Amino acid sequence: MTKAFASAGDMEEKKTSFTQVGEGLYAFTAEGDPNTGVIIGDDSVMIVEAQATPRLARKVIEHVREVTDKPISHLVLTHYHAVRVLGASAYGAEQIIMSDVARSMVAERGQEDWDSEFERFPRLFQGHEEIPGLTWPTTTFSDSMTVYLGNRRVDIMHLGRAHTAGDAVIWVPDQEVMFTGDIVEYHSACYCGDGHFNDWGETLANIAAFEPQAIAPGRGDALVGPDMVAKAIAATEDFVRSTYKPVEKVVGRGGSLKEAWDAVRAECDPKFKDYAIYEHCLPFNVARAYDEARGIDTPRVWTAQRDKEMWASLQG
């Protein structure tokens, strides 16, 4: 039986949760599907991550309306990936915020990523007919910016490259809570296809330096309490290191992409095989690690055609 590519065969609906991570702060999670954060201010609401379609975004809005009737004024997108941004139109936010690097990635590879992810993860794109087009920010920042939702301060920062070159994190200082996007995951594989392995660990250390009391990660359960936060950061760092180091050794001896794949499976399967989207991410992670180990700093653009070629080469 031929193995399904990425998550093409995953059509099972996921159970959603809406967890309070601080006063007026919530994490919408869905068993390893993309998470969304909610920050309630004095007069309005900020959403972190849009979901893949307006249909999925409305599921988030239903939960928001269970806890507040304040209007949604801001939408922050931690990076450019289609599964994170294409549901933006449902929120009606006046301000859509990205890092300037993330915006440049929309321009450079946004449509290619959309086409690629549509084939990788069809379940997340049910209702895709409603998507009006690529999501563009109204506001960008280079290193950091601050938004006040009334008296509630929200700091939006770029702490280093990791999941992508333009990752943003969102810090709510009055509750010491951080929304990390896909820089931190919990019991879910990291997608590293656009990643920067050698920078990721330092970026995680920069997050840890804030000593968050809670984190809403990119995927997986909300992380409430310093112990759970520390556990998730350590596990994410281990996942990234365990993926890259075997590939680096294979490249060092002139080995092939298939050899790198086998080396990563040997290292990572025993520790991470039960993580959400592990099999989905693995081929993209190995391919990107193989490029980075060969000195290719900027991740190559993933297209639907490149996906197929890479998958065929790994299947032998």
Side-chain angles (χ1 to χ4, degrees), residues 12-87:
E12 182 180 347
E13 194 72 16
K14 305 299 181 184
K15 179 183 176 182
T16 63
S17 300
F18 196 62
T19 305
Q20 187 166 10
V21 294
E23 185 178 346
L25 306 175
Y26 296 87
F28 172 92
T29 64
E31 297 185 300
D33 276 0
N35 293 344
T36 292
V38 178
I39 302 171
I40 301 174
D42 294 330
D43 302 312
S44 67
V45 177
M46 175 182 286
I47 300 293
V48 180
E49 311 289 41
Q51 296 284 320
T53 64
R55 178 186 293 184
L56 286 172
R58 286 193 291 271
K59 292 186 178 183
V60 176
I61 294 169
E62 288 174 6
H63 285 286
V64 172
R65 292 297 165 236
E66 293 171 359
V67 295
T68 184
D69 60 1
K70 295 172 183 177
I72 296 170
S73 58
H74 295 76
L75 172 62
V76 182
L77 303 171
T78 67
H79 59 288
Y80 83 101
H81 285 152
V83 294
R84 297 293 181 180
V85 306
L86 293 180

Side-chain angles (χ1 to χ4, degrees), residues 189-193 197 239 243 247 278 281-290 302:
C190 300
Y191 173 74
C192 310
F197 288 93
F239 184 95
T243 301
V247 178
Y278 175 73
C281 293
L282 195 62
F284 304 100
N285 294 358
V286 173
R288 172 56 193 152
Y290 191 75
W302 286 102

